[in-house]
């Protein structure tokens, strides 16, 4: 039998961490020196090929050294410099939203095409800590048919092949290679690794890749690397080796069609602690993502309907900052403390640009609404693509009346009176500052006009029932244990069901001596205490909502949970403030659900995944769910800034905070004689929603409630003026409950409206999508968890087309 010959494709690359144990300014210098070195090696060795990702780094070089950038452009043209990745950065691949992954590709691939005349064919995330299961679809629809990664390793996900087809739920597949051992094999190991990699080649696969070059802090392939590879090529005792690139490798593999396994799972678990450490940066990411898409929607409406300027440059710059901060060592919380000062500033600039864009847009819209009539005009905006029954909170200047208590009546534009309630304002100086809340239905991706009549007495409907240790509306009764402050009972009145099997909203403290990444830790179970010693008091009581505050203590830390029930909403909201001063500890909040044979589901970017309820720490997006195996009853929990959870049987636990030393990496251990900075010290605020439901989560409002929690309602107190627009208007409609439009923006070429939708419940669906104000309508078919991007030309005579995520 002829002996199989394995070819090792030697991939000279530089994975550069722009930020990690250094700030971005130092990463900038490392990138420049690495690119200079790679160009020099090309001049010395005609067959040497270099591969590098991250459009943001290329942009640095373009701006700082145009001459070097011209050299790179020529080497790309020669085929010697291979552009990989196709994303703005190498982000964390679990925390960013689905839309953020689209934008990573949208801005990077168009940049590469414009500046270098190519686009990446191979996704390249060699250092990211886990990879969500929707990536194959996003990669395919962004021009990439291949993917390379390194983590999780064989010990972290046993049985995962090294070469395989990776498939998303919709059926999209990318040819995928797990890098053996390291993405930056050094000179002392190149020969040894080549032999070991050749021995790892699966049956039928005659080609493997070895990635070499100095990484992380830059450097790239060295003269010594290249000399060794040449020696290996001449040595008959070595595997066949060749200078190559990932693109060439995958083209070679495709040419002889080896039989490969198909993987339909996500790729976890490495560094499970990354999804909860440095919680504030994750919260800022969620806030920026939502605000940017909201600003885009209403900027598009203001531009196309009322000829307001569309702030494309500002919004693009804001997205670039957010995408930069999604770099895995920033977003995962594993960088030095100083790096987060820069991240704060980048996020701050993005929030400012998005806030300004949104403010200009909504004011451009309201100037065209007819607000004439009695009462102070209030306009509220809904950024989501369905009609939304939502609590609306606003502030305004008002007047106290003869009894010292402000009074008001709120109506919609048709004069229908809406129950309202005064709640505590943020102002403490008085001067007639008022804060009012009410609930009402808002049109999809639209606005609604209300009128506020100060000084009028409202009807005083019955308040939501509340006592010092209970709160109740027509949907639920919640009872709090007076000693501990934990939920001792939540009764679902509609379905006659006790929701919990034991104490819930239970704050659990876990001993966690692991490093910043929690290397090698898959479960956090070493409970050492619980927040207790409760103080409970009624904060608000009224016809719209009632609010019960529970304050607990543990060690030097305090936890405040405000439970809110609304008269007209069938979920419970909780607003949380943690003042955390613990070290080497983790905070979880536990909810033991009263179901049998639990089935666990987690939201992931633009999709969902079912996972075993085995207590492993898992990344997730805006919601998690446990439903019984028959799909009869369950509980969904949505959060507005958390990304780490575990579901152990029926016990759902949201992970709030971790407090290791900044950027401590095993095997290095902190010196007990030294002082260190610990993560997540101080005050953190977030919200979560409890949503018990009959049936499974797909039949319920889990996705909608989670996205409503994360999409604040912009509002404006207006004045009286004429206008051509009616008092309530929605700018999109979709007739399928499980299809959501996440994006409505001006195209990058400024000649069309871009609408992006996805299927949320895992079932094939037909939908009709309408843009009523633009007199546009089209039918669409969605596969399971399918993402679709539509291009609606501004010229109404041109046809609507489905396009890729790059809008090309």
């Amino acid at each position: 039998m002829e002996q199989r010959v394995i070819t090792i494709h030697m991939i000279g690359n530089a994975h550069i961490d722009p930020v990690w144990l250094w700030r971005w300014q130092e990463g900038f210098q490392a990138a420049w020196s690495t690119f200079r070195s790679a160009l020099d090696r090309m001049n010395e060795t005609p067959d040497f090929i270099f591969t590098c990702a991250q459009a943001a780094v290329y942009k640095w070089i373009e701006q700082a050294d145009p001459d070097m950038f011209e050299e790179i452009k020529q080497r790309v043209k020669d085929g010697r410099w291979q552009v990989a990745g196709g994303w703005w950065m190498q982000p964390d691949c679990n925390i960013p939203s689905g839309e953020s992954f689209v934008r990573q590709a949208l801005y990077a691939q168009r940049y590469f095409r414009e500046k270098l005349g190519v686009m990446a064919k191979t996704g390249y995330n060699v250092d990211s800590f886990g990879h969500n299961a929707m990536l194959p679809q996003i990669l395919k629809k962004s021009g990439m048919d291949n993917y390379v990664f390194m983590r999780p390793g064989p010990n972290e996900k046993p049985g995962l092949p090294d070469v395989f087809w990776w498939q998303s739920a919709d059926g999209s597949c990318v040819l995928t290679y797990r890098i053996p051992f390291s993405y930056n094999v050094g000179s002392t190991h190149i020969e040894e690794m080549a032999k070991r990699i050749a021995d790892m080649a699966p049956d039928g696969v005659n080609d493997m890749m070895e990635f070499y070059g100095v990484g992380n802090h830059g450097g790239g392939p060295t003269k010594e690397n290249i000399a060794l590879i040449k020696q290996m090529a001449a040595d008959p005792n070595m595997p066949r080796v060749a200078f190559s690139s990932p693109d060439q490798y995958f083209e070679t593999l495709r040419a002889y069609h080896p039989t490969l396994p198909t993987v339909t799972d996500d790729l976890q678990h490495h560094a499970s602690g990354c999804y909860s450490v440095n919680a504030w940066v994750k919260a800022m990411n969620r806030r920026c993502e939502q605000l940017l898409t909201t600003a885009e929607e209403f900027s598009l409406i203001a531009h196309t309907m009322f000829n307001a300027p569309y702030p494309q440059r500002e919004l693009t710059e804001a997205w670039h900052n957010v995408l930069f901060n999604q770099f895995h060592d920033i977003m995962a919380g594993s960088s030095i403390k100083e790096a987060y000062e820069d991240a704060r500033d980048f996020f701050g600039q993005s929030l400012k640009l998005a806030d300004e864009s949104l403010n200009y847009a909504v004011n451009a819209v309201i100037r065209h609404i007819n607000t004439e009539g009695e009462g102070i005009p209030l306009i509220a905006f809904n950024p989501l693509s369905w009609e939304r029954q939502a609590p609306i909170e606003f502030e305004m200047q008002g007047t106290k009346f003869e009894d010292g208590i402000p009074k008001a009546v709120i109506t919609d534009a048709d004069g229908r009176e809406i129950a309202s309630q005064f709640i505590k304002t943020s102002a403490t100086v008085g001067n007639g500052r008022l804060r009012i809340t009410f609930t009402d239905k808002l049109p999809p991706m639209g606005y609604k006009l209300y009128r506020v009549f100060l000084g009028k007495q409202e009807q005083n409907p019955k308040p939501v029932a509340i006592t010092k240790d209970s709160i109740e509306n027509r949907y639920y009764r919640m009872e709090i244990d007076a000693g501990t402050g934990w939920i001792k009972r939540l009764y679902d009145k509609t379905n006659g069901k006790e929701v919990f099997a034991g104490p819930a909203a239970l704050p659990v403290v876990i001993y966690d001596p692991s490093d910043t990444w929690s290397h090698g830790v898959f479960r956090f179970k070493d409970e050492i205490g619980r927040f207790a010693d409760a103080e409970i008091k009624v904060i608000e009581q009224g016809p719209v909502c009632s609010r019960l505050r529970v304050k607990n203590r543990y060690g030097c830390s305090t936890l405040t949970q405000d439970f809110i029930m609304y008269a007209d909403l069938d979920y419970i909201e909780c607003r949380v403030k943690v003042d955390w001063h613990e070290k080497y500890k983790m905070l979880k909040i536990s909810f033991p659900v009263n179901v049998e044979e639990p089935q666990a589901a987690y939201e992931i970017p633009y999709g969902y995944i079912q996972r075993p309820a085995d207590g492993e720490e898992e990344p997730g997006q805006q919601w998690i769910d446990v439903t019984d195996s028959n799909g009869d009853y369950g509980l969904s929990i949505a959060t507005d800034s958390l990304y780490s959870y575990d579901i152990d049987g029926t016990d759902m636990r949201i992970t709030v905070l971790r407090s290791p030393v900044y950027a401590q990496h095993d095997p290095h251990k902190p010196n007990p004689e030294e002082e260190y900075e610990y993560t997540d010290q101080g005050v953190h605020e977030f919200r979560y929603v409890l949503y018990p439901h009959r049936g499974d989560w797909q039949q319920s409002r889990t996705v909608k409630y989670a996205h409503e929690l994360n999409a604040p309602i912009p509002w404006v107190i207006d004045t009286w003026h004429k206008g051509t627009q009616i008092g309530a208007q929605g700018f999109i409609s979709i007739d399928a409950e499980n299809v959501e439009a996440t994006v409505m923006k001006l195209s990058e070429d400024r000649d069309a409206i871009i609408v992006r939708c996805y299927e949320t419940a895992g079932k094939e669906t037909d939908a009709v999508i309408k843009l009523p104000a633009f007199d546009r309508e089209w039918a669409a078919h969605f596969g399971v968890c399918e993402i679709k991007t539509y291009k609606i030309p501004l010229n109404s005579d041109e046809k609507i087309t489905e396009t890729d995520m790059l809008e090309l």
Side-chain angles (χ1 to χ4, degrees), residues 710-723:
N710 283 272
I713 295 171
W715 54 268
V716 177
I717 296 291
D718 198 13
T719 54
W720 299 271
H721 50 75
K722 296 182 183 296

Side-chain angles (χ1 to χ4, degrees), residues 373-394:
E374 295 184 357
I376 300 168
L378 163 72
I379 298 97
F381 293 82
N382 174 23
L384 298 173
S385 64
W386 57 88
E387 184 180 63
R388 171 184 183 184
Q389 175 84 14
I392 301 166
E393 293 184 11
F394 68 96

Side-chain angles (χ1 to χ4, degrees), residues 131-133 157 166-167 263-267 609-611:
H131 310 259
N132 77 80
K157 193 171 181 66
W166 189 22
Q167 180 175 298
V263 174
T264 57
D265 199 1
D266 57 4
L267 308 179
I609 193 168
Q610 292 179 302
R611 294 172 174 146

Side-chain angles (χ1 to χ4, degrees), residues 691-745:
Y691 172 49
H693 54 80
R694 173 64 65 188
D696 60 27
W697 67 266
Q698 289 100 327
Q699 300 168 312
S700 306
R701 294 187 59 84
T702 294
V703 175
K704 286 182 164 57
Y705 282 159
H707 295 179
E708 288 174 10
L709 176 67
N710 283 272
I713 295 171
W715 54 268
V716 177
I717 296 291
D718 198 13
T719 54
W720 299 271
H721 50 75
K722 296 182 183 296
T724 60
Q725 301 300 305
I726 59 176
Q729 189 168 185
F731 293 95
I732 196 168
S733 78
I734 304 173
D735 68 354
E737 282 291 309
N738 58 318
V739 173
E740 176 180 343
T742 55
V743 170
M744 187 161 67
K745 64 183 277 288

Side-chain angles (χ1 to χ4, degrees), residues 401-472:
F401 300 95
E402 65 278 357
D403 56 1
I405 300 174
K407 296 181 175 64
V409 168
I410 295 176
T411 71
D412 63 16
D414 296 326
R416 178 179 63 93
E417 189 170 317
I418 302 167
S420 62
Q421 177 179 332
F422 287 93
I423 57 177
K424 189 176 186 301
T425 177
S426 298
T428 57
V429 294
N431 295 331
R433 193 70 178 163
L434 304 174
R435 188 171 185 87
I436 305 173
T437 186
F438 64 97
T439 62
D440 195 34
K441 291 181 178 179
L442 295 174
M445 277 192 191
Y447 67 82
K448 192 167 185 178
L449 168 66
Y450 300 94
R451 299 187 182 278
V452 183
F453 297 87
L454 291 177
K456 289 191 174 183
Q457 181 63 57
E458 57 184 292
Q459 302 265 329
N460 287 323
K462 185 178 179 181
V464 176
I466 190 169
T467 70
K468 64 178 182 179
D469 56 8
S470 71
I471 185 170
E472 183 172 2

Side-chain angles (χ1 to χ4, degrees), residues 267-385:
L267 308 179
Q268 317 291 356
H269 300 92
H270 177 86
S272 296
C274 280
Y275 302 107
S276 52
V277 73
N278 266 316
W280 77 267
V281 78
K282 297 165 172 63
M284 288 289 282
N285 176 71
R286 182 86 62 88
R287 182 181 169 197
C288 282
E289 289 173 332
Q290 182 59 54
L291 185 60
L292 278 168
T293 55
T294 299
E296 286 174 340
E297 289 167 8
F298 291 109
S299 294
L300 180 280
I301 292 165
H303 174 68
T304 52
M305 291 193 64
F306 308 119
N307 205 32
Y310 187 83
Q312 193 160 34
R313 182 189 63 80
E314 292 85 352
L315 291 171
T316 299
E317 182 180 356
W319 269 113
H320 285 177
N321 288 340
V322 173
L323 301 179
F324 186 92
N325 275 350
Q326 289 172 351
F327 179 72
H328 52 269
D329 278 315
I330 301 174
M331 189 52 52
S334 49
S335 291
I336 58 172
K337 184 181 180 183
E338 293 85 349
Y340 291 101
E341 297 173 9
D342 297 326
R344 173 202 62 204
D345 295 344
F346 289 165
F347 277 138
Q349 183 185 30
S350 293
L351 289 171
K352 176 181 181 293
L353 291 169
D355 264 329
E356 285 181 343
S357 298
L358 178 59
N359 187 62
Y360 296 147
V362 297
N363 275 279
V365 172
I366 66 176
R367 296 295 164 249
H368 293 81
I369 302 171
N370 184 358
T371 63
E372 289 187 318
E374 295 184 357
I376 300 168
L378 163 72
I379 298 97
F381 293 82
N382 174 23
L384 298 173
S385 64

